[in-house]
Amino acid sequence: MADEGEKKGQEEDLSPDIKDWSKNQVRQWALELKSVDDAVAQILFQQDINGPSLLLLDAGDLIAMGVTFGPAKLIIHARDELVKLKKEEPASFRNQPGRPCKPYPFYRYHDTYRYMESSILDITESGASDFVEPCHEYKGFTNTTDETKMSKFTDEVIRFAAACMNSRTNGTIHFGVGDKPQFTHGQVLGVVVEDKEAYANELKSAIDGYFEFKHKQDAQMCIKPPRFVGVLNKNMTSSDKCVIEVDIVPESVICGENIYHTFNMDTKKAKKKEKGKEDKSETKPSKQFFIRDGGSSRNLLAPTTSAKPMEEYNRFVDSVAQRSQLRKQAEEKHLSVIKNSNQGSRLSQLITGGSLSLDKSHFERYVIVTNKSHSIQLESVGFLVELDPTAVLDFDPESAQCGLQSYFEQTNTVSVHLPSQYKFTEGIEDIADKLKLTRNTSWVLCNGGIKDEVPSDIDQWLMDKGASIRDVISFLCRKDVLPNKRFLVIFLLFSTVSEQMDPLIETFSTFWQELRGTEQILCICDNEKAFTSWKDLIKARCGNDISDRCIYELNFAEVNGTILSLWSENRKSQRFLPGDGRSKVLLEKKVERSLNTLEILCMNQCEGGNEDKIPIEENFYKGEKVSWWNFYFSEQPGSTPFIKRDKFDFIMNTVIPDLCSLRKACVLFNLMHVPGCGGTTLAMHTLWAHRDRFRCAILRDSNADFVEVADHVVKLLTHDHGEQLPRVPVLLMIDDFEDMDKVNDLQLLIEKECVKKNIQCKSAQVILLNCMRAESSEVTESTDTVFIGNDLSEGEQKQFEQKLVEIEKTHKNADTFYGFMIMKKNFKPEYIQGVVHNTLKSFNINQKHAQLLAVLVLLNVYCKRSSLSVSLCEEFLGLQPKPVCGTAKVEEGFGKFSTLISSSSVESKVVHKAVKMIHSSIARQCLQELTTTHNVSKADITDLLLTTDKLYESTQGKHKLLQDVHHIMVKRIYSVEDSKFSPLIQEIASETPGQEEMILLSASKRFDKDAVISQLVARYYYLKKKNFTEAKLWARSARDLSKDSSYMADTSAQVIKHELKNAIANCKEEPMPHEKLSMFLKVAQSAIDAFKETQSLAKKESSLRLQTKRDNCPFNTAGCLGEIQVGVLVIDLLQKTPVFSSENVRHDILSKVLSGDIKLQDVERCDRRQHKHRSYYIILRHFEDLLYSLKFRMKMNFDFLEKFHVNLGSRSGMKDSREQVVQNELFRCFQQYANLFCKTDSASLLKNKTMWNMLKVHEARQFLERQKADTYSGILNCLSNNTWAENLEKIIKLYDFIRPSGHTVKERINYIYANVVLSRIKLESQCILPFPKLFDLLRQVMQEQIPLSENLPAMFIAVVLFWPQENCPVYTSLGNYISQMETSYHATMKEVYNGKRPIVHFFLGKKRGYERLVHLREMKRCSMVQEGQFVSMWENGSLWEDKKVQQLLCRVTGEVKGKFIMADTCEPGLKLKVIPMFRSQLSGTTERSKVSFFIGFSMKGPVALDININ
């Protein structure tokens, strides 16, 4: 029985399966049940109840054995609960051990270590070793019920604690860790704990109950509170389980030489029954003395059969003094090995590359690799937000819910990515651009946790996800993605890595291979055990000792503080924007970084910074772009003020205030400047001076997505305004746009975004400061346009001289400050020539750095924003950068030419550092110097640029370089002459004739997949070389590369057209041989078919643009014009044939044939020379379809283009002056068309009076067509092209003349238009129909059946003339006319109005009759400003502030209804729909708000201008 008692004291874990229990194990289970006497357990034992029979018992069976009813019910309930528990137990616990792992750090409570399900603790259950190293004991804790688990927990802890205290050894007992035979020894199982506090309370009570009173205090101090270590699932996700651990620390100062007995206090263990009395429970405490004996705790006072039962106990007690002394020595030894750490300074060195300042870190980018984090650790990772990592490779599948990503997103913006998004599926920089890799932190979830990605177990991760992570790492380590040797990979080990198969080991190995070593790798963990495990695993995998790349003696709080201390105060300080009433608004980092298309200038910009003044000023004076620091330094005590240009005060005091007063959401201010004259500096100076009154920002990249830019601008505008309307406007600087269309696109999108956000625009909300280069001083200044030239005023020169005095005092190398000196010398060519000549004396084109300079010069001259990336220069020059500070700068690689270049950051698909020429004047002079002095032509440099493969290898900025090279080859300067080639190609052709062909062919090889380059080569061959065979091949290539492009189709058509034109011009034979006629007509047919295809593709493109609403490119009219030009060539061709070349009659016959009025067989039958001309007629009949429809097709295209140009203008609603080239060509073609189709040469042959009258009517109609007065659009155009009143009077007379013969509806509508237009040119003309009669005529027309083709002009003129006025009939159907006009407009113009705005033909004036209609020319006349200024006033809305204009126009009232206005009229109850010209002027208004406005009439409907909210 003594042995049984010892067994009971040393309980074993029961088998997990009840079926396997023996009768002893059943008794053991019953003894553990509360409220069940030991006698019941003995009955079960005596009845041989084992596991299988226990499962079959019911309460009746137990009662039959002699168990009373109460205990019987308790036993059955406990058994059923246990069966249920076993069923719910995960199958993964059953003999599926995992990999080895370390126990939780001893005597620590706030470590973030967690166990993984089924992993194996790699330390066996043990006894005392060196007293300090803890021993361990494992308890599965799986076969306990709710009734028994707490007593089992306290019993086991007390027994283990007493043993450790007596043995003087540290120790940890683990609950939820299995042992043999049911589990692998040390297998992590975990237990579910609902009330952690209960365990701590029960243990505290148990200590008081089990230990002797005198030792209770010692025990409370040595037995630490329970620790609950989380258990992760195998796929790294959290579970609801934990391992309960209790640490025992018998410190020598507490325990001294004490010995610790415990008592068995279980009142159940002995029962005393007295006959005739109630049962009483009696406590029989039994004294125990536990020691550690191997892997278990043994009671030396347990009953034994030994002859000397107390001998071992006494011997142990005698050794306690010695044990205490050994314990004390062990503690002292342990403390002595804790050394002072120097890892703080080492961390500073490693993370900055040796600069010891993150503001000036050698590393431009940081990549973080991390694993499972703990909430405690997240309190100390603020440094990550400041580092703003390029990418984070996160292996925690729960990071987004409760991990690092969740924390990081609170203060920063991230783009969450799957590893598969890094796969090489397209161009590298295109992928980087889509990922926004250098703009937002790319958060790569490497083990699920996103979308449908399921986390993988460690064993499966390599197979499931390893390949995709290798793709991510390979991508990030490419030289064209992140800067070579200038980015650092930081392994942030939140959790201990203890397995060789851990994903982080594979990740480290891949980075190590890609980076060819560990110089760009830093590992951070917060304890030595984690470091040792990591170091050993890396050593085993890679063979490298990474100790010198690891930080492990600092906790994360110390790491955080150390890294944050490496930033300047300016970088860490809060940034502010101006708010209402001169208040300040905090700009949080997350908000600022989310607006990544903008560089935001804050009110406290630069304050608290520690930037070095000298190098910053030197870079600026040498020619680099000005920085905010330059303005800041100039305001500090002891500095002379920043140089103010003469226009600065004008901009500050006049331009900006005037723009602010305009009632438009987004207004434009153009700062035009000659390159290199300080235009960008003046623009930034303007922003700096306004930073406390406006929310100032600079657009980072002119190629950014403008929809996103508009969104960011409006977010900046509305930041921290809550529900209030924004009161602080945004001043946004945009720099170096080459095309005003792009500026207008951005302005329009910002307007739309303001409308979308319902921002009320009582004044300008966004001012676009467009800083744009102008090649000449021929710029018209206006209210919103200022020009800065390269000629300083006397005042400006004086400021430069004063500044030079200051510079020479503080800078030793002022002679190399070329940017400053060029301006100081007032741009004198002699100074620039001298600098360049002296610097390039040693130039040798065979040297690498000379070649690179030549390329940079060429690019800078022909592409203003060009540059070469630093990484490209390093590769080309053979420089070997290292990942530490102090390595050679790229400028040094240029040798003596380094004074001509500078480096800066470039915004592209991948943001990178690049070098460029310091000044545009220097670049131009360098190119000239290379040609004249060093015999290096533009062709030589261009050939070098195109054929040197080394320039296009995988380096940063490759896409930008290709873009710039493409630009200098393709970009034309459009003028009236319509240049066909870029300035570079034209100058090469002029300087070295013939070499331009070689250059173009080299370009086609470099851009072998580029349709535009193939198009360019085709254009060269058909325009310059007249080699149409070769041109067709290149045009075909362009079509193949861009099948759906109307522009490529047009090139194919142009080749054929020019082939025809050239062939006809070279045919000198008279008359033209019939063989050539056949060939020419075939070519003409091919050209027309090609131009028709161009038209078809243009319509498809336009429809697609309307659907996407992202592309404002206008309709491509080249196909229409091209078909007209071919028609003119065919007319010219036919007039050279004998069939149509002689006599006036032949001219008329040709006209009728091409009109389809006469058949060729009829002409042949009447031809007196038909036999001689027979071969011609045979050929002509073969092309009947072409010939009979020629006039119809030409007229259709003329009318189409007329409607297009007359009714649609620029996006501001004005006519587009840049279309003059097309208009001039159309005029030429129409003259030839009119010479054939709009006159009759055989009129003198007619004698019959009736025929004569018919001829006169015909001639009248021909005259109208010749004057383009046969269409409403042609008549309307008379208002714009300064048609003489006499012409219009004749037009009206001719319409009167042909009336008796029967006016068509179209002719009557045209007649009405002619009267209206003449009234606006010469109101006193006697030819004008009195207004009431015109009114009646229009009323009659509107009552007739109007053809669909005439519906739009009819509805337009009806709305214009019927607009209600006093003492005139009111048409209640006017609202229907407006609705029909809108419908007709969309039906007629939908294919062509993309990127255009309908032109306002008339405005509603204050007078009556004809005078009520005000045309734009009248407004120009009364405003008395130049054309350019008038356009500017129209576009920015300042025109409506002109008093004379206000006197001219009628201001109308109305009320808002949704997206439009219902205008009041003189007729009570009649309100008419009016569309706002600028929707933003209605933003912020509520339904039925009262407004006033001017009315303009466009083909789309009446429009409201200058809307005032009443």
Side-chain angles (χ1 to χ4, degrees), residues 525 599 679 978 1124:
C525 51
E599 178 192 339
D978 190 20
I1124 290 171

Side-chain angles (χ1 to χ4, degrees), residues 693-852:
R693 284 174 281 170
F694 290 83
R695 294 187 173 179
C696 299
I698 299 176
L699 179 64
R700 291 183 184 275
D701 183 9
S702 60
N703 294 314
D705 178 359
F706 285 174
V707 173
E708 185 179 21
V709 174
D711 175 57
H712 289 178
V713 169
V714 174
K715 281 179 178 173
L716 177 61
L717 173 69
T718 57
H719 174 63
D720 220 31
H721 275 292
E723 297 298 317
Q724 299 176 5
L725 292 173
R727 297 197 183 107
V728 183
V730 168
L731 179 57
L732 176 66
M733 174 183 160
I734 54 177
D735 196 14
D736 276 341
F737 275 55
E738 294 192 349
D739 189 350
M740 275 301 296
D741 275 345
K742 288 184 70 177
V743 177
N744 293 330
D745 284 346
L746 178 57
Q747 185 181 12
L748 184 66
L749 286 166
I750 293 172
E751 289 257 357
K752 284 184 177 178
E753 191 64 23
C754 287
V755 171
K756 187 176 167 185
K757 295 292 192 297
N758 201 30
I759 295 170
Q760 190 170 334
C761 303
K762 292 183 177 179
S763 60
Q765 298 299 305
V766 179
I767 299 175
L768 279 184
L769 200 173
N770 174 34
C771 186
M772 183 179 273
R773 298 179 186 228
E775 292 302 324
S776 69
S777 57
E778 295 176 6
V779 175
T780 304
E781 291 198 327
S782 62
T783 54
D784 62 0
T785 300
V786 170
F787 176 73
I788 304 294
N790 54 0
D791 186 19
L792 299 180
S793 68
E794 287 185 13
E796 289 172 332
Q797 288 185 50
K798 189 174 181 181
Q799 287 185 72
F800 272 93
E801 287 168 3
Q802 291 171 348
K803 197 70 175 177
L804 181 59
V805 173
E806 180 190 335
I807 289 172
E808 289 176 336
K809 288 179 182 177
T810 53
H811 299 276
K812 296 178 181 178
N813 52 343
D815 57 327
T816 62
F817 293 175
Y818 300 138
F820 177 84
M821 294 303 295
I822 286 171
M823 295 189 71
K824 195 267 173 192
K825 301 280 186 182
N826 207 5
F827 304 92
K828 285 184 180 176
E830 297 82 8
Y831 173 75
I832 299 168
Q833 289 164 10
V835 167
V836 170
H837 180 76
N838 292 329
T839 308
L840 296 184
K841 273 182 181 178
S842 61
F843 184 89
N844 182 348
I845 193 62
N846 296 317
Q847 295 174 332
K848 289 276 188 185
H849 67 295
Q851 292 174 355
L852 211 53

Side-chain angles (χ1 to χ4, degrees), residues 436 439-440 592-598 700 708 712:
K436 295 189 175 178
R439 290 180 171 82
N440 282 349
E592 183 169 8
R593 287 175 181 172
S594 70
L595 309 179
N596 52 54
T597 61
L598 309 177
R700 291 183 184 275
E708 185 179 21
H712 289 178

